[in-house]
Every structure is written in structure tokens, then in C-alpha cells.
Amino acid sequence: MARIVRDATLLGIGPLDPEACRAALVADARCTFPDREGIIRLEARAAPGGAHRLVATARELGPEPACWRAALAREAHPGPSAWSAAKTSERALYERALAEVPGADEVLLADAGGFLVEGARTSLAVVLASGALVTPPLARGAQAGIGRAILLARTPELVEADVTIAALATARELVAVNAVRGARPVVTLGGQPVGAGVPGPWSERLADAFRAG
């Protein structure tokens, strides 16, 4: 609720009532998924006269592998903008990246300078060769994901720091994070193993931190 209120203000749609957003989300979830898990996306849209409306869409949760395979996107991430931290319906860049690598669970996007920004559908945490646990800074243009915020709040060791694409070749671990899937270990990147090619200790610790509370 905090994110949709924040982003609606950032994009000039708001202000939104968080309780009205919560009521819309819960009502649609109870109607669509009364007895099973599913995904509800709540979207705020501008309406004439400075008003706004809330639109909920639903989709099945679907299966997800325990360990992910990732690839690097061919197209560069455009970098930061006034609204890049917001979650918007403009998904063309991410959809192109995923479509370029059929079969990949995630595609990583870097900016023109070779710095990692985010995944096409997740935020990223990297255990560097030094052992440092980092996530690319929002200043690079990444969305301010809910999963990312949860892990930053619950994991003191996780800090923002630049990560080059070159540094991924020697990374010990790579973890993809979003609010729906939690923390997922990425065990291969471009067909090559990440670290030992199996989930590492930090992937499990981040998964536990995400599930806590």
C-alpha cells in the first residue's frame, strides 16, 4: 500500500487513500482466489478532472523453479529518470529483455557504463568475490522493489553499492528478489555457473529474512 501511494504521488496521479487501495486489493483477491494462492496487481490510473481510479487484475501464481538461470540483456538499461524508482505499467524494455532469452528465469540489465541496474522482473543482491553483500543503488535507475526494501530493512549486511558486469564473473552468489517469489538463488548466468553453481549460504539467509514476519 505504501508503494502504490508513493508512486502515484511521484507520477502525478495521487494522492491515494491507502485504506481504499487495501480494500480494493482484498476484495478482488477474495473474489478471484477464495481458496488458493494467486497474484493481484493493483494499478492507479489518472482520470479526467484530476481524479483517479483503481484497477485490479489477477493471474495465477504458477510454478517457479527453486534455482534460477539468468542471462544478460543485449539492450542497455536507460538509467535513472524522475520516475525510474516507481513501478509503472511501462514494461516494454523488460519484456523485450525476457523475450530475447527464451527459457531464462531472469534477465539482468546493465546501463551503458557496464553497471548492473536490476533484473527484468526482480531486484538483485550480489555476494561479491570479497564476500560483501550488495544491491545496485537506486541511483542507477532501478525500481524501488518491495522485496528489495524488505531485505534492506531486515539484513544489516546488505548495502547499496555499484556492481559491474565484470564483477559478476567472480561473484560468489547472485540472488533475485521480488515480492511474489521472495529470494531466489541464480545458479547460472549466460550458461556459466555463478560461484559454485549451487545455492549459497546467503541465498538461504535472504530467503529466511524475506519470510520472517
Side-chain angles (χ1 to χ4, degrees):
M1 296 308 102
R3 181 172 73 171
I4 195 170
V5 170
R6 178 202 69 197
D7 290 355
T9 299
L10 181 63
L11 297 168
I13 297 171
L16 301 181
D17 177 359
E19 290 308 313
C21 294
R22 184 185 301 278
L25 188 68
V26 170
D28 200 77
R30 285 177 173 165
C31 178
T32 310
F33 301 112
D35 56 0
R36 66 191 190 280
E37 291 185 318
I39 299 170
I40 305 292
R41 173 167 288 171
L42 189 65
E43 184 178 337
R45 298 180 181 175
H52 61 266
R53 61 193 180 100
L54 299 173
V55 179
T57 56
R59 62 183 174 90
E60 297 291 337
L61 185 61
E64 199 74 56
C67 299
W68 282 12
R69 297 169 299 160
L72 293 174
R74 301 187 188 100
E75 185 176 351
H77 192 284
S81 70
W83 55 84
S84 56
K87 176 98 172 176
T88 75
S89 58
E90 178 48 66
R91 297 282 306 164
L93 170 68
Y94 307 109
E95 290 169 1
R96 288 196 301 271
L98 288 167
E100 286 174 353
V101 194
D105 301 300
E106 180 58 299
V107 178
L108 279 51
L109 293 110
D111 63 19
F115 289 96
L116 187 64
V117 179
E118 60 189 338
R121 60 186 184 126
T122 63
S123 301
L124 301 167
V126 184
V127 182
L128 299 173
S130 65
L133 177 66
V134 303
T135 185
L138 295 183
R140 286 285 171 195
Q143 292 181 2
I146 293 173
R148 179 184 187 276
I150 289 172
L151 292 186
L152 282 169
R154 296 177 180 174
T155 313
E157 297 91 340
L158 180 62
V159 297
E160 285 193 340
D162 278 330
V163 180
T164 64
I165 292 301
L168 292 177
T170 58
R172 298 184 186 182
E173 296 182 56
L174 176 60
V175 183
V177 184
N178 72 15
V180 173
R181 302 300 179 183
R184 297 279 176 164
V186 176
V187 295
T188 66
L189 178 60
Q192 299 300 311
V194 176
V198 296
W202 266 115
S203 66
E204 186 59 34
R205 288 181 65 181
L206 292 178
D208 288 344
F210 189 88
R211 291 188 293 260

